[in-house]
Amino acid sequence: MNPNQEAIKKVIDYIEKHLDEEMELDNIARHAGYSKFHLNRIFTEETGTTIHKYLQLRRLTIAAEKLAKTDIPVAQIAYEAGYHSQQAFSLAFKKIYLYPPKLYRNVGIFAPKQNRMEMAA
């Protein structure tokens, strides 16, 4: 594994461990020991997506699973996914899953959009 891949693995581990917390790119970069600009560049090169997009898709995937498999209120799921309003969550969710959260819940089939990334050794 090259140094960039090791850094990306460290970032992914950090993100996965703190998915339910507020995260700033500055803090993620500090944890990895890189500037946020360099870290985002190598993350995008290695994964094909930005750190922000990965984080957003992971949170929305977890939210989709909760919608399909639990009775947790949509507002609570939105908050747990890092959204400050149910409306913002619904817009982001519909953009990725093509259905609003309540309709997705009614269908009841979980389809992950972003599983945890793994870096090949």
Side-chain angles (χ1 to χ4, degrees):
M1 190 177 295
N2 71 44
N4 285 352
Q5 290 173 325
E6 288 177 17
I8 301 313
K9 182 183 180 329
K10 190 174 185 179
V11 167
I12 291 169
D13 290 344
Y14 180 83
I15 288 172
E16 293 295 328
K17 186 182 240 183
H18 300 279
L19 272 172
D20 58 346
E21 301 170 19
E22 285 210 23
M23 269 187 271
E24 297 290 329
L25 184 55
D26 289 327
N27 295 338
I28 296 168
R30 194 173 311 113
H31 176 76
Y34 287 89
S35 76
K36 64 183 178 182
F37 304 106
H38 182 67
L39 181 62
N40 205 43
R41 185 180 61 75
I42 64 172
F43 190 93
T44 302
E45 286 174 3
E46 293 290 334
T47 66
T49 191
T50 65
I51 293 169
H52 173 77
K53 193 67 169 174
Y54 176 73
L55 178 59
Q56 179 190 35
L57 288 174
R58 285 295 295 135
R59 286 178 169 166
L60 288 173
T61 297
I62 291 166
E65 185 172 21
K66 289 177 182 178
L67 286 167
K69 297 180 177 182
T70 73
D71 291 328
I72 298 171
V74 174
Q76 183 178 337
I77 292 172
Y79 177 76
E80 291 171 358
Y83 290 85
H84 297 292
S85 75
Q86 186 173 335
Q87 181 181 10
F89 169 72
S90 293
L91 289 171
F93 190 89
K94 186 176 179 181
K95 187 174 182 181
I96 301 302
Y97 279 91
L98 308 178
Y99 296 101
K102 289 182 181 180
L103 183 56
Y104 187 88
R105 170 170 271 165
N106 290 342
V107 172
I109 300 172
F110 171 58
K113 294 292 182 180
Q114 178 67 66
N115 290 317
R116 178 192 172 117
M117 286 185 182
E118 298 294 335
M119 298 304 296

